[in-house]
Amino acid sequence: MYFAALLARTEDGWEASDTELDDVETLNDLADLAREAAVDDDTVVAFIEQEDVWFGVIRVDGEDDPRVFLSNAAIAARSSYGAMLTDELLGRDDDDATDDLDSLDLDGTEDGEPESDNNVEDDDPLEAVNGSDGPPHGPLGDAALLADLGVSEKELLALDGDALSTIADSLGCTEVLEAVR
């Protein structure tokens, strides 16, 4: 099960809205959705979370290219929206992908439970990418995307569990995020 929300920065703080991702097939679709929620082309932060297994943060500032961070690319790649973001971060074309969004299991596994990573060695993430063993086991993307908003790269990389609430605390918008949960 996914939770997705958009936080739009305004003069008075942040406005939150939950969002349906049914029509989102690409990062550009997600960026367009975020831009629609923006107030005066200000910053919009999109959160995607899958049952505390992985989370993604997408930041859109006006017409700039979106910036993306995934907490664990290998796990995220097992789900439809995580695969879309992982492929974008790794520069994979749609033609290179072996699965399209329609063929992926929406909860990220065959039986609905996250797969165990017990046999996975924590090698260098770039080696996993370059060795074509798939996405790296661990964070991927721009870990500094929220630094100017109060969440440092180090803090973002250390998050697990209910990461979105921790981020919302740092941004000063816990109440508005919880209102849409």
Side-chain angles (χ1 to χ4, degrees):
M1 176 127 219
Y2 289 100
F3 169 73
L6 296 173
L7 288 173
R9 189 162 59 175
T10 69
E11 290 178 2
D12 301 323
W14 294 90
E15 291 180 6
S17 60
D18 61 342
T19 186
E20 290 295 323
L21 300 177
D22 294 342
D23 295 330
V24 173
E25 295 180 7
T26 66
L27 179 57
N28 286 335
D29 291 344
L30 184 56
D32 289 343
L33 190 65
R35 287 184 185 103
E36 289 173 14
V39 177
D40 297 327
D41 285 336
D42 211 339
T43 300
V44 176
V45 178
F47 294 130
I48 301 175
E49 177 182 59
Q50 185 181 4
E51 299 176 343
D52 293 335
V53 176
W54 68 270
F55 70 91
V57 180
I58 301 89
R59 178 177 176 163
V60 178
D61 294 298
E63 292 300 317
D64 292 347
D65 288 339
R67 297 166 62 189
V68 179
F69 172 80
L70 292 173
S71 64
N72 190 316
I75 294 173
R78 297 180 195 148
S79 67
S80 59
Y81 301 113
M84 171 192 68
L85 296 172
T86 302
D87 287 347
E88 182 72 31
L89 287 169
L90 294 175
R92 294 180 181 160
D93 293 333
D94 289 337
D95 297 336
D96 295 339
T98 57
D99 294 317
D100 65 357
L101 290 179
D102 294 331
S103 66
L104 289 173
D105 186 24
L106 290 180
D107 70 0
T109 63
E110 291 300 315
D111 61 1
E113 294 297 322
E115 293 181 23
S116 172
D117 284 339
N118 292 343
N119 337 358
V120 176
E121 294 181 24
D122 290 327
D123 291 335
D124 179 16
L126 292 177
E127 183 178 307
V129 173
N130 295 333
S132 71
D133 291 330
H137 294 276
L140 181 65
D142 184 356
L145 81 165
L146 299 175
D148 65 322
L149 300 175
V151 182
S152 72
E153 182 175 350
K154 182 178 179 180
E155 291 169 317
L156 190 60
L157 290 169
L159 291 177
D160 60 0
D162 195 12
L164 301 188
S165 292
T166 303
I167 293 170
D169 285 344
S170 296
L171 298 178
C173 60
T174 302
E175 290 179 19
V176 293
L177 180 64
E178 290 303 318
V180 298
R181 269 197 180 211

